[in-house]
Amino acid sequence: MDKMNDLEMRHEREVHFALDELFYSRTDKRGVIIAGNEIFRRVSGFEWSDLVGAPHKIVRHPDMPRAVFRVLWDAIQKGHPMGAYVKNRAKGGGWYWVYAIILPIEGGYLSVRLKPSSELSDRMMKLYSEISARERAESLDPEASAKLLRKNSEAGGYPSYTAFMGYALAQELAERDRRLGRPVEPRTRMLADLNEAMGRLTSEQLGLLRSFEALQSVPNNMRIVASRLEPSGGPVSTISENYKASSVVISERLRKFVAGRDNLCARMSWEVARALFMLGCTRIVGEMNTILQSEGSGGEIDSATERTLLRGLERHGDEEARKAMQGASEFAAQMKQQSRELRRLMLGLDTIRVLGRVECGRMRDASGGLSATIDQLDAFHDDIKARLEAIMHLSEEIEQALTRYLRSLALAA
């Protein structure tokens, strides 16, 4: 009963605001509030005299894990826009959740925030609670807890936290449009479609690497079997040595393709994530500008100045998204070509595998161990070729989607 009363009390203290309302605030480099909109002031419960000149952490809620702010600051201090779910506190102890986009600007930072309403927001609130509990119980420093946050993104199949936040923004915009009865906005649809394709592509990349790493043990098994079936230097030993030499060459190519810090897949994923996030940001910034116009210029905040800044950010964001999409399209074309090349190299391995199968047949009754080893090769080869085919098609799908969108932008201009 006490727990239920506590939950009810906390629910009653939530500060509500409408789904079509957006918060706006601008700070200097130190995070000191310079300006904001009336919705921000009203929901926070503070007066402008309390907000302007105060650090933005005046609205930080103690329930928030430090991990989130470490990830945010790491990004924006390097000049990269970033997003996050944030629980804020209101004056008098109330609280409210937002999805915030934070954009670095000359002399400081700008944030636009919307009301989260997707299923993902519920999952993130639960994750925040778990990370906060670990921060307290294990005395985790911000960087250690930030790793937990990034690890959660990777576990979900996203190559980076930025990619995950692009997906989150797409989910929030789509659900917001649905609840407000708005038609699906083309940029939002593209966000969702490309995020889904990138998630599948990342899954195929990881599966490809795992299969190929597992494949490396098979030639050793083949040599062990050969030592029992034939004299040293026999045909099975020769086949296993040839297979190992060829697979090493492919392994090196594959690692440059899907592994390592600057691999082709990671570079394309980064460009797609950046493009998607900027598309979502520019849409929200444009809507924020419209809201500021309806609020008018009055009171302590000069909304005309803020609107001029937002218009510039919207243009800059569109241009950055276009550049990122162009770069991602070029990487996707390279991915497609590399997939074809790796598939061609796999055909060479197939030839060696077939020779092993022939030798297995020649040995007949004595070849039980060899037969099982060749069966392993068959299974790995089938999986690798299927994944390469999937990566090639997904790369083409992403390239075509980006090219269509870039073409539509050119026509609109």
Side-chain angles (χ1 to χ4, degrees):
M1 189 68 175
D2 290 340
K3 287 184 178 179
M4 181 61 71
N5 289 337
D6 182 54
L7 286 171
E8 289 175 352
M9 182 179 70
R10 283 191 288 166
H11 182 71
E12 289 171 358
R13 292 171 66 189
E14 180 179 1
V15 180
H16 295 281
F17 58 98
L19 198 58
D20 61 348
E21 293 185 307
L22 295 177
F23 291 55
Y24 171 75
S25 58
R26 179 164 63 89
T27 73
D28 63 16
K29 286 285 186 183
R30 299 170 299 158
V32 174
I33 299 170
I34 296 172
N37 72 322
E38 180 57 25
I39 297 168
F40 171 46
R41 188 210 62 75
R42 188 195 82 224
V43 177
S44 72
F46 291 97
E47 297 301 326
W48 284 123
S49 57
D50 299 318
L51 292 170
V52 176
H56 209 282
K57 65 182 179 182
I58 191 174
V59 294
R60 182 181 296 183
H61 197 283
D63 285 354
M64 278 294 293
R66 292 180 295 169
V68 177
F69 299 108
R70 170 55 66 92
V71 171
L72 284 174
W73 276 104
D74 281 352
I76 62 177
Q77 287 184 324
K78 293 174 184 174
H80 303 311
M82 184 50 75
Y85 290 97
V86 179
K87 184 179 184 179
N88 286 150
R89 77 176 185 94
K91 188 175 182 180
W95 56 266
Y96 54 96
W97 280 94
V98 296
Y99 178 90
I101 59 170
I102 300 94
L103 305 169
I105 57 174
E106 186 176 353
Y109 309 101
L110 182 151
S111 174
V112 181
R113 305 180 289 286
L114 56 87
K115 186 182 184 73
S117 56
S118 73
E119 275 187 30
L120 179 60
S121 65
D122 294 332
R123 297 205 303 271
M124 290 302 292
M125 291 172 195
K126 182 175 182 294
L127 176 67
Y128 280 13
S129 179
E130 293 169 357
I131 292 178
S132 289
R134 287 192 61 177
E135 284 181 349
R136 292 190 296 271
E138 301 171 31
S139 300
L140 294 179
D141 62 39
E143 185 52 41
S145 56
K147 286 180 181 178
L148 297 177
L149 198 60
R150 295 187 180 102
K151 188 176 180 180
N152 176 75
S153 302
E154 293 167 4
Y158 298 93
S160 65
Y161 182 77
T162 301
F164 178 58
M165 282 298 102
Y167 169 76
L169 180 54
Q171 293 294 300
E172 294 302 336
L173 291 176
E175 182 61 18
R176 185 168 177 263
D177 285 342
R178 188 187 70 77
R179 294 194 184 199
L180 292 173
R182 296 175 177 176
V184 178
E185 204 264 351
R187 284 179 293 185
T188 304
R189 184 188 296 277
M190 183 186 179
L191 287 171
D193 291 347
L194 277 179
N195 265 307
E196 182 183 348
M198 284 304 303
R200 284 184 284 144
L201 183 63
T202 300
S203 177
E204 293 293 347
Q205 293 162 14
L206 294 175
L208 178 63
L209 194 59
R210 282 195 299 267
S211 289
F212 211 87
E213 285 175 346
L215 185 65
Q216 303 308 298
S217 65
V218 178
N220 293 329
N221 296 339
M222 198 180 295
R223 282 199 305 276
I224 293 170
V225 172
S227 69
R228 296 198 302 262
L229 298 177
E230 63 184 12
S232 177
V236 177
S237 298
T238 302
I239 289 169
S240 66
E241 290 297 334
N242 288 342
Y243 190 95
K244 182 176 182 180
S246 297
S247 66
V248 166
V249 173
I250 300 178
S251 182
E252 288 303 310
R253 291 285 295 272
L254 186 62
R255 289 188 177 281
K256 291 179 182 177
F257 186 50
V258 297
R261 186 172 182 179
D262 294 320
N263 70 79
L264 185 57
C265 292
R267 290 160 71 194
M268 187 184 79
S269 295
W270 166 249
E271 290 293 351
V272 170
R274 189 165 71 93
L276 297 182
F277 191 74
M278 289 311 301
L279 281 175
C281 286
T282 53
R283 180 189 162 185
I284 288 297
V285 165
E287 188 175 337
M288 185 71 253
N289 208 344
T290 302
I291 290 174
L292 278 180
Q293 184 177 19
S294 68
E295 288 185 2
S297 294
E300 298 184 40
I301 304 300
D302 182 3
S303 65
T305 298
E306 303 307 313
R307 289 183 59 226
T308 299
L309 179 59
L310 286 169
R311 279 195 298 272
L313 276 176
E314 189 176 4
R315 288 192 298 269
H316 176 72
D318 277 334
E319 179 59 21
E320 287 299 301
R322 188 194 65 77
K323 288 178 182 177
M325 282 189 283
Q326 183 63 51
S329 179
E330 292 169 2
F331 283 132
Q334 291 180 47
M335 286 271 293
K336 186 172 62 177
Q337 182 58 40
Q338 290 283 346
S339 297
R340 287 198 181 108
E341 179 63 16
L342 281 166
R343 190 176 56 176
R344 184 187 65 78
L345 291 172
M346 282 300 297
L347 290 176
L349 274 186
D350 274 339
T351 301
I352 301 172
R353 176 177 59 90
V354 169
L355 289 174
R357 178 66 72 187
V358 169
E359 195 61 29
C360 175
R362 186 185 68 78
M363 291 181 171
R364 291 190 296 276
D365 294 341
S367 61
L370 181 59
S371 178
T373 302
I374 299 298
D375 287 343
Q376 277 187 301
L377 285 180
D378 290 346
F380 283 131
H381 277 230
D382 288 344
D383 183 68
I384 288 170
K385 286 187 287 187
R387 290 189 185 279
L388 283 170
E389 193 75 21
I391 289 173
M392 188 173 68
H393 287 305
L394 284 167
S395 298
E396 186 170 14
E397 180 183 323
I398 291 168
E399 180 192 16
Q400 289 176 351
L402 290 167
T403 300
R404 282 196 304 271
Y405 193 82
L406 288 167
R407 191 179 296 124
S408 70
L409 290 179
L411 290 173

